[in-house]
């Protein structure tokens, strides 16, 4: 979470997120607690014959980039692409070229495309 969202959560016990499509969602302390308790250890069971690509923006204030880095540690055949300055929605179309390049390179390497 961004510092402003953390401050808002501390002060008001909730904050509002707005997606690129203008959808709004109220996030409460309970939502954060539940998210922190979410068990993502299942990713350790992904077989090493399966290739996985994760693309994440380092300016994402919805899902922190450390989550993607954890996946990178746990998934055997994993490629992590972090896009500098990209938010949760990759700033709309701003980083589309980066995403297409990452997917293209991944497919070329892993699927022979």
């Amino acid at each position: 979470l961004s510092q402003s969202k953390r401050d808002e959560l501390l002060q008001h016990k909730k904050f509002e997120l707005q997606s690129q499509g203008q959808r709004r969602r109220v996030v409460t302390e309970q939502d954060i607690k539940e998210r922190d308790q979410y068990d993502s250890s299942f990713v350790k069971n992904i077989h090493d014959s399966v290739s996985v690509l994760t693309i994440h923006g380092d300016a994402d204030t919805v899902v922190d980039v450390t989550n993607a880095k954890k996946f990178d540690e746990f998934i055997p055949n994993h490629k992590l692409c972090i896009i500098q300055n990209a938010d949760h929605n990759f700033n709309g179309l701003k980083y589309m070229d980066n995403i297409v390049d990452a997917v293209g390179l991944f497919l070329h390497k892993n699927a022979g495309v």
Side-chain angles (χ1 to χ4, degrees), residues 1 6 9-10 15 25 27-42 61-67 70-71 74:
L1 295 174
R6 289 178 197 174
L9 185 63
L10 284 172
F15 62 88
R25 176 168 190 243
V27 178
T28 65
E29 284 184 317
Q30 183 62 33
D31 293 327
I32 300 298
K33 288 177 185 174
E34 288 175 10
R35 174 67 176 105
D36 287 345
Q37 293 174 0
Y38 181 73
D39 181 13
S40 60
S41 64
F42 66 90
T61 60
V62 178
V63 179
D64 194 86
V65 71
T66 57
N67 290 306
K70 286 179 188 176
F71 276 19
F74 296 134

Side-chain angles (χ1 to χ4, degrees), residues 34-69:
E34 288 175 10
R35 174 67 176 105
D36 287 345
Q37 293 174 0
Y38 181 73
D39 181 13
S40 60
S41 64
F42 66 90
V43 299
K44 294 178 184 178
N45 298 325
I46 296 174
H47 195 274
D48 62 0
S49 66
V50 176
S51 299
V52 177
L53 170 65
T54 300
I55 304 173
H56 203 104
D58 73 346
D60 189 336
T61 60
V62 178
V63 179
D64 194 86
V65 71
T66 57
N67 290 306
K69 292 177 180 178

Side-chain angles (χ1 to χ4, degrees), residues 100-113:
V100 170
D101 288 347
V103 171
L105 288 170
F106 180 80
L107 290 173
H108 179 72
K109 179 181 176 189
N110 294 286
V113 176

